[in-house]
Amino acid sequence: MEFLALFIVALMPVLQILLITAVGLFLGTERINLLGAISRQSLNKLVFFVFSPSLIVSNLADTITLDSLGTLWFMVVNVLITFLIGSALAWILLKITRAPQHLHSLIIGCCAAGNLGNLFLIILPSVCEEDDSPFGDSSVCSTDAEAYAVLSMALGAIYIWSYVYPIMRIYANKATKDTGTHGSTTRDNISEETSYLHSEIGTEPLLPSEGCPSSEECMDQVEVHSTGSEGKAKVMFLEKTMLYLKKLAGHVDLKKLFAPSTIAAIFGFIIGIVSPIRKVLIGDDAPLRAIYNSVSLLGKATIPSMTLIIGANLLRGLKGSRVSPSLIVGIITIRYIIMPSLGIGIVKAANYFGMVGSDSLYQFTLMLQYALPPAMNVGTISQLLETGESECSVIMLWTYAVATFSLTLWSTIFMWLVS
């Protein structure tokens, strides 16, 4: 009976997401066309530059304090773990399915980056408002839930553009080089750089066979020879690792990394942590409370706008090109079976070692970060890299359709585990 009550609690926010997404699908149809290509891009820009940053800065400033950072630090690590596990599982999926080269970047992006945006912002506060919610007082729960959701959203934006985007960019340029197509001059330069680094990692000998340009290199050669084959392998591995990290860092786009959401998160942390600034902007007696209230009001448009955009974008999946069923099943298995199962173990282990505290809502949030569908920003990156655009729509359509059932089930399981 308790499990059934928790299932109903978990079902309500998912139904909200489903209904708003259906409205987005309807508005994006050719007959209605209120969310056609042009209007969808305009709304997307409003969300990217205005609504989303406003939501992040207002919620973080209101809820984040210096004391709360003592427990919230693990969320930074947890979100990073979800990205690392997802990309590792994606690499295994690529090896098993032998996916086409031009889809490698898309598959890695879909498996690594979860939707830490509007889904979180709907699910967490809605769960708190239900009568049978296991998280206690609804007002306190809703305030904490918004803080957790907004922090997750900010972290997701940072990791997508600092980790997922460079990896997708490397694989996209490798696919472009292998198929013999050429993009713009910038893309060609990136491809040449990637090719150079790849050859430097994979084909260049570790040490010169004849002569040494400097005495220091000669000493290195003597040391490697003296340690035998095991020493050579160790040095080779370290050399490859360092070069790969340099290559990855070289593809980080700082302009995209410091997106409006990232800058808003930085300002939100500063306002929340620095007490004098907080007192000036937040509170009934704050002299500049009109600024905070205006920003907060703009932020409330984020959730419905983002969900409508998702619905309109998923519509393209109905008209997209065919994608191998094994790839779709593989991505669904990774995102909705393997990662949530691993997430339970990771969060439980963190709780056992005293890293996350006893807050059941916080533990639920950490677990839920492993069970989300792919981030819509993956589609944006695919458009930027001009690879796998139509296939992305198909994958998003199927993964979000399955998410309706998987999110309800996993939310119920997570609440049952932490209550």
Side-chain angles (χ1 to χ4, degrees), residues 181-253:
T181 59
H182 299 282
S184 64
T185 306
T186 305
R187 286 171 58 86
D188 288 342
N189 291 337
I190 294 170
S191 183
E192 290 170 10
E193 178 187 47
T194 306
S195 175
Y196 168 74
L197 287 169
H198 177 73
S199 64
E200 189 176 26
I201 294 172
T203 61
E204 184 175 319
L206 180 63
L207 294 168
S209 58
E210 297 181 3
C212 300
S214 65
S215 59
E216 184 179 348
E217 291 185 7
C218 287
M219 287 300 295
D220 291 341
Q221 185 173 352
V222 172
E223 287 176 6
V224 172
H225 281 300
S226 65
T227 55
S229 59
E230 184 179 348
K232 282 184 177 180
K234 185 176 180 180
V235 175
M236 178 73 79
F237 175 77
L238 292 174
E239 187 83 7
K240 285 184 176 182
T241 302
M242 291 303 296
L243 286 172
Y244 182 78
L245 290 175
K246 288 179 181 178
K247 177 173 69 172
L248 190 62
H251 284 78
V252 174
D253 192 330

Side-chain angles (χ1 to χ4, degrees), residues 378-397:
V378 173
T380 304
I381 295 174
S382 296
Q383 292 176 1
L384 289 173
L385 300 177
E386 298 178 0
T387 176
E389 296 176 60
S390 58
E391 291 87 350
C392 181
S393 299
V394 177
I395 292 173
M396 290 294 178
L397 176 66

Side-chain angles (χ1 to χ4, degrees), residues 105 163-176 186-187 190-191 193-194 250-254 256 381 385:
S105 62
Y163 176 73
V164 175
Y165 175 71
I167 293 178
M168 290 182 66
R169 192 176 177 186
I170 290 171
Y171 275 90
N173 282 288
K174 185 179 178 182
T176 302
T186 305
R187 286 171 58 86
I190 294 170
S191 183
E193 178 187 47
T194 306
H251 284 78
V252 174
D253 192 330
L254 293 178
K256 292 184 174 61
I381 295 174
L385 300 177

Side-chain angles (χ1 to χ4, degrees), residues 18 78 134 139 272 283 299 307 356-357 377 417:
L18 186 62
N78 193 66
S139 60
T307 312
V356 298
N377 272 334
L417 289 172

Side-chain angles (χ1 to χ4, degrees), residues 82-357:
T82 65
F83 278 70
L84 293 175
I85 292 176
S87 54
L89 293 173
W91 183 81
I92 296 173
L93 178 63
L94 292 176
K95 296 298 181 183
I96 294 174
T97 59
R98 296 181 180 180
Q101 188 78 32
H102 72 284
L103 294 182
H104 285 193
S105 62
L106 175 61
I107 294 169
I108 291 175
C110 289
C111 293
N115 189 334
L116 295 167
N118 63 314
L119 298 189
F120 243 42
L121 292 167
I122 294 176
I123 292 173
L124 288 183
S126 298
V127 164
C128 293
E129 293 169 3
E130 294 297 322
D131 294 335
D132 296 323
S133 173
F135 302 123
D137 182 68
S138 60
S139 60
V140 176
C141 176
S142 297
T143 302
D144 292 340
E146 287 183 4
Y148 298 156
V150 170
L151 181 57
S152 300
M153 181 179 179
L155 291 172
I158 293 171
Y159 287 135
I160 283 174
W161 294 108
S162 64
Y163 176 73
V164 175
Y165 175 71
I167 293 178
M168 290 182 66
R169 192 176 177 186
I170 290 171
Y171 275 90
N173 282 288
K174 185 179 178 182
T176 302
K177 178 178 179 295
D178 290 344
T179 55
T181 59
H182 299 282
S184 64
T185 306
T186 305
R187 286 171 58 86
D188 288 342
N189 291 337
I190 294 170
S191 183
E192 290 170 10
E193 178 187 47
T194 306
S195 175
Y196 168 74
L197 287 169
H198 177 73
S199 64
E200 189 176 26
I201 294 172
T203 61
E204 184 175 319
L206 180 63
L207 294 168
S209 58
E210 297 181 3
C212 300
S214 65
S215 59
E216 184 179 348
E217 291 185 7
C218 287
M219 287 300 295
D220 291 341
Q221 185 173 352
V222 172
E223 287 176 6
V224 172
H225 281 300
S226 65
T227 55
S229 59
E230 184 179 348
K232 282 184 177 180
K234 185 176 180 180
V235 175
M236 178 73 79
F237 175 77
L238 292 174
E239 187 83 7
K240 285 184 176 182
T241 302
M242 291 303 296
L243 286 172
Y244 182 78
L245 290 175
K246 288 179 181 178
K247 177 173 69 172
L248 190 62
H251 284 78
V252 174
D253 192 330
L254 293 178
K255 183 178 180 181
K256 292 184 174 61
L257 175 59
F258 287 98
S261 296
T262 307
I263 298 172
I266 295 172
F267 277 103
F269 274 112
I270 293 173
I271 296 171
I273 293 172
V274 181
S275 182
I277 302 177
R278 183 187 182 92
K279 291 178 180 178
V280 171
L281 289 170
I282 301 173
D284 294 335
D285 299 326
L288 299 180
R289 61 184 179 277
I291 297 176
Y292 170 79
N293 293 337
S294 300
V295 173
S296 179
L297 187 62
L298 282 172
K300 292 179 180 178
T302 305
I303 299 174
S305 299
M306 290 181 68
T307 312
L308 287 173
I309 291 171
I310 287 178
N313 287 338
L314 292 180
L315 184 66
R316 291 182 296 173
L318 297 173
K319 308 171 185 177
S321 60
R322 290 193 59 184
V323 179
S324 171
S326 61
L327 285 178
I328 296 175
V329 171
I331 294 172
I332 290 174
T333 302
I334 289 172
R335 290 232 59 99
Y336 301 139
I337 299 177
I338 300 176
M339 288 189 64
S341 303
L342 293 174
I344 293 173
I346 292 170
V347 175
K348 285 294 184 182
N351 183 42
Y352 178 79
F353 289 107
M355 296 180 183
V356 298

Side-chain angles (χ1 to χ4, degrees), residues 64-78:
I64 298 297
T65 62
L66 196 58
D67 295 333
S68 66
L69 290 179
T71 55
L72 292 179
W73 69 269
F74 186 76
M75 186 180 291
V76 180
V77 178
N78 193 66

